[in-house]
Amino acid sequence: MIRISTIFIAICMVLVAASLGLVLYSVAGISGTESAIVALTALTFLILYNAVSMRLRDRSDVGGQIADLSRGTADLARQVAEFGRRLAAVESRIAASNSTNSDRIQSVIGEINELGGLVRQLATTVAAHEDLLAGHAPAPAPAPVTRPEPETPIDLAAPFEERPLAPPPLPQPPPRPAPPTVQVQAAPPVQTANGRNQTQLLATLRNAVDENRIDIFLQPMVTLPQRKVRFYEAVTRLRDERDQLIAAEEFISIAEASGLIGRIDNMVMLRCVQVLRRLMVRNKDVGVFCNVAASTLGNSTTFAQCLDFLEANRALAPSLVLEFKQSTFRNLGPAETENLAALAQRGFRFSIDHVTDLRIEPRELADRGVRFIKVPAALLLDPKQASASDIHPSDLSDLLGRFGIDLIAERIEGERAVVDLLDYDVRFGQGFLFAPPRPLRPEGASATGGASPNQAQDIQGSNGSATPSSGATSSAPPPQRITGNAALARRI
């Protein structure tokens, strides 16, 4: 668009030329034609002068802008060169660091593979020795009465890596004649519900809850094949009036029917938080699995109390894992789903146990906050599961890992099962092979203090279900120094 100043200048030039022609015509007496020619000549001269002056002014302005642009381009070129130099230095450092890290990683991977091979060889050798001893053992001869390993209470104040774990069984020499053994009185077994009716068991359960006679046993979960303790499962035990232990599988159904399961779960959560705080004093990476009943999740009043308590201990959410049955997740109602989402929003992770089949939807479980699935070792190693499930058991660990879920093999009772599970890439294990559930050592007790010989060994189950076991007590000789493959396994 033409600027207003240009239009004004053009009008002024026309007026000046017309005024000059009029002056010449009226004053100088020149004819109209001559005065018009003079006026046009003057207008032409003014137009040329204006055009030349504007071109010179524009040229000077453009020259200044070009000079500024040249200076800016030079500065930009210097900055780009400086950035290029710095980027080249950073790339050289990263390349050197990657080369160094790659060498270190390769050396570590080689050592880990070598250790894994040694552990597998050890487990295979021990399993072969067990089979050999089982084949050569005389059938009719009665086995001598031996003293079972006592349940050493777990010392939460001891260093995390030094807590006692059941080492792999040592190969035993062939049986040979031994002097007669002295029979002693057997330890009393864990009290079961066989001698009680439901009314008596319900009364015992009410008294135990009112008098706070709910005990917590801990069973470790270890990494495979290193067998380092990574988590603990809190196993619930009930003490009656005579301080005899009642396993959870014996009273859990009655507790759910009578409505006491909510109070029991509240007490167990409180104990788990206390235990977890003691464990985290020594190691921040430890975790505790706490069983929660389905009726607690569906009861609004009970769940509100649990949620308030967990909200107050939200800082422990990464280390406190809430465990539910597989049937609970498959039968979630609207209330249970909402309560489960409330726990997940507060950062708590979930685990699934009591798995009866391998028809698992990992994406759905991961969306609900499940991070662990515990499958019995016998179910994983069952050949029938390959045809009954949508995925082969050997690929289950990899499938769950894609969605951030860890597979834990539970109820491991033999070295041969460990060898087979390592082929399935199972990274965590739990069972009597590593350690049975043990009671907590009182705070401040000696790390080498023994346990009472009549403390029962319990097998995990519903809320830590158990199978009673008993044995004879006898004076045990001092522990011998472990050598050979067994010592290697303990060091690993």
Side-chain angles (χ1 to χ4, degrees):
M1 294 178 64
I2 302 176
R3 293 180 295 181
I4 297 177
S5 59
T6 304
I7 297 174
F8 179 74
I9 292 173
I11 294 174
C12 291
M13 288 189 296
V14 172
L15 293 177
V16 170
S19 300
L20 179 62
L22 183 61
V23 169
L24 292 176
Y25 176 74
S26 60
V27 176
I30 300 176
S31 64
T33 304
E34 292 177 352
S35 61
I37 293 173
V38 173
L40 290 175
T41 303
L43 179 62
T44 303
F45 175 76
L46 292 174
I47 291 173
L48 291 176
Y49 175 78
N50 182 66
V52 171
S53 63
M54 290 181 63
R55 180 64 59 87
L56 293 176
R57 185 171 63 253
D58 292 341
R59 182 176 296 178
S60 62
D61 294 341
V62 171
Q65 292 177 359
I66 292 175
D68 295 338
L69 184 60
S70 299
R71 287 192 295 270
T73 304
D75 293 339
L76 181 60
R78 285 194 297 271
Q79 293 178 5
V80 170
E82 179 67 17
F83 281 127
R85 184 184 64 80
R86 294 182 181 181
L87 182 60
V90 171
E91 288 179 349
S92 62
R93 292 179 184 178
I94 292 177
S97 176
N98 289 340
S99 177
T100 304
N101 292 337
S102 177
D103 296 339
R104 293 177 181 176
I105 291 174
Q106 292 298 330
S107 62
V108 171
I109 291 176
E111 293 178 359
I112 292 177
N113 292 335
E114 183 178 357
L115 291 177
L118 291 176
V119 171
R120 293 192 183 191
Q121 294 177 7
L122 173 62
T124 305
T125 303
V126 172
H129 278 288
E130 288 181 349
D131 295 341
L132 183 62
L133 292 177
H136 289 284
V145 178
T146 58
R147 175 180 179 270
E149 182 182 357
E151 289 184 355
T152 305
I154 295 179
D155 184 9
L156 299 182
F160 185 68
E161 298 296 341
E162 298 179 359
R163 291 182 190 138
L165 271 183
L170 299 177
Q172 300 293 335
R176 54 186 179 182
T181 58
V182 178
Q183 300 287 342
V184 296
Q185 184 179 1
V190 176
Q191 180 69 22
T192 64
N194 295 334
R196 306 171 187 260
N197 55 36
Q198 291 189 356
T199 304
Q200 294 175 343
L201 188 57
L202 178 58
T204 301
L205 180 61
R206 291 184 184 276
N207 293 334
V209 172
D210 293 338
E211 298 175 7
N212 196 20
R213 282 191 272 105
I214 304 295
D215 292 342
I216 293 296
F217 283 46
L218 294 183
Q219 185 173 25
M221 305 176 199
V222 300
T223 59
L224 296 178
Q226 296 85 2
R227 304 193 183 193
K228 293 183 179 180
V229 177
R230 183 64 180 85
F231 304 101
Y232 286 98
E233 180 179 3
V235 181
T236 307
R237 294 292 177 264
L238 179 75
R239 282 184 295 110
D240 60 8
E241 296 80 0
R242 295 174 292 178
D243 283 340
Q244 291 181 321
L245 296 177
I246 302 177
E249 67 174 4
E250 301 174 8
F251 66 81
I252 194 69
S253 58
I254 298 178
E256 290 180 348
S258 61
L260 294 175
I261 190 63
R263 295 179 59 187
I264 294 177
D265 283 348
N266 277 327
M267 297 172 66
V268 171
M269 283 186 187
L270 173 62
R271 301 285 180 82
C272 288
V273 168
Q274 293 174 347
V275 170
L276 184 58
R277 290 188 183 279
R278 292 173 59 185
L279 289 172
M280 293 183 69
V281 172
R282 292 282 182 168
N283 192 302
K284 299 296 184 182
D285 296 330
V286 70
V288 173
F289 282 58
C290 179
N291 290 273
V292 181
S295 55
T296 301
L297 188 63
N299 189 309
S300 59
T301 303
T302 305
F303 179 78
Q305 297 175 358
C306 295
L307 187 62
D308 292 341
F309 175 74
L310 293 176
E311 178 71 26
N313 295 275
R314 192 171 181 176
L316 301 177
S319 301
L320 182 61
V321 182
L322 304 179
E323 193 166 70
F324 302 91
K325 295 181 180 180
Q326 185 185 36
S327 58
T328 301
F329 266 81
R330 287 183 173 178
N331 300 307
L332 288 176
E336 290 84 354
T337 303
E338 182 179 356
N339 293 338
L340 206 64
L343 292 173
Q345 289 176 358
R346 286 159 176 80
F348 289 93
R349 302 180 296 172
F350 308 132
S351 172
I352 295 180
D353 66 348
H354 286 76
V355 175
T356 58
D357 58 69
L358 299 182
R359 294 191 296 271
I360 298 173
E361 295 293 338
R363 183 185 300 275
E364 178 183 355
L365 296 179
D367 293 340
R368 293 184 183 275
V370 176
R371 294 297 177 265
F372 302 94
I373 295 181
K374 296 169 64 175
V375 181
L379 184 63
L380 280 174
L381 302 177
D382 187 3
K384 299 179 181 178
Q385 292 298 323
S387 58
S389 60
D390 298 333
I391 185 172
H392 195 277
S394 60
D395 300 326
L396 182 61
S397 178
D398 181 62
L399 175 64
L400 296 176
R402 298 174 191 172
F403 297 93
I405 302 176
D406 289 324
L407 177 62
I408 302 176
E410 62 176 352
R411 303 176 190 174
I412 301 177
E413 299 181 358
E415 291 291 344
R416 185 173 297 277
V418 175
V419 176
D420 295 336
L421 290 173
L422 289 177
D423 294 335
Y424 285 10
D425 197 22
V426 177
R427 301 175 183 177
F428 297 97
Q430 178 184 5
F432 262 51
L433 176 65
F434 311 115
R438 291 192 175 98
L440 295 177
R441 184 186 300 277
E443 194 168 3
S446 172
T448 59
S452 175
N454 60 350
Q455 288 174 335
Q457 293 183 344
D458 305 288
I459 300 177
Q460 61 194 16
S462 170
N463 212 4
S465 61
T467 300
S469 62
S470 62
T473 59
S474 61
S475 59
Q480 299 180 354
R481 185 172 180 266
I482 300 175
T483 59
N485 290 338
L488 175 61
R490 292 297 297 274
R491 289 197 296 270
I492 295 176

